[in-house]
Amino acid sequence: MLEWGIKIFYMDRRKCLQAMNFASRFTIYIFDIHNDDIQYIGDVIAKYLLELYKDDKIMVEYLKRLFEKHSVCIYSNLTNKSIISALNYNETINVDYCDLFHEYIDNNVLKTIDINKDVNWNNIMNIYINGKKEYVVPGKYFKELLIDFYKGVNQNE
């Protein structure tokens, strides 16, 4: 639950990031990032998660607990081949192949929340669970995993 893979891509010559949760394949697209912003990526991911789940009180509670307990981000080279492949696949499908994000521009404003909602609740990702290939909706599966992550954990944690 705590590991995320991050990959840079470019849209209209602007640096953007794709962040994917290892366990659930939940993906957050972050647009127009500058080098000075890299130190705040964890905060940006947290804000997107809270916004995307804002109507789900249980998730907001669990997300806040997660951020309080695990508030530091540590970066290293991405070596998980499954996540690298999933990040490359997402980029090919959403950015390179069909240029999906341009459909979300309204009056010169990119609707980033809508993009991230659609990517996580209107798409199916394949994932291996206990060695068996399964198909999941990342937004629903992330919720399921986060609830399982906190099942039986002391409420003071």
Side-chain angles (χ1 to χ4, degrees), residues 8-74:
I8 294 173
F9 68 95
Y10 291 88
M11 180 176 160
D12 293 336
R13 296 184 308 264
R14 292 193 164 108
K15 188 184 300 183
C16 306
L17 296 178
Q18 175 189 178
M20 179 181 287
N21 178 265
F22 278 27
S24 66
R25 301 302 193 264
F26 191 95
T27 303
I28 295 175
Y29 288 99
I30 305 167
F31 299 88
D32 199 15
I33 295 294
H34 302 278
N35 288 339
D36 295 342
D37 299 332
I38 298 299
Q39 63 186 329
Y40 303 110
I41 294 304
D43 293 334
V44 173
I45 290 171
K47 287 180 182 181
Y48 267 106
L49 285 168
L50 287 169
E51 178 64 27
L52 292 168
Y53 285 102
K54 71 180 180 186
D55 296 327
D56 187 330
K57 290 180 184 180
I58 293 170
M59 277 301 286
V60 170
E61 177 186 329
Y62 283 137
L63 286 168
K64 286 181 179 179
R65 283 177 65 187
L66 182 72
F67 304 146
E68 286 173 12
K69 181 72 174 168
H70 306 281
S71 60
V72 176
C73 292
I74 299 170

Side-chain angles (χ1 to χ4, degrees), residues 135-148:
Y135 295 92
V136 299
V137 175
K140 292 178 182 177
Y141 193 51
F142 183 80
K143 177 181 178 175
E144 182 181 317
L145 291 176
L146 188 61
I147 290 170
D148 286 347

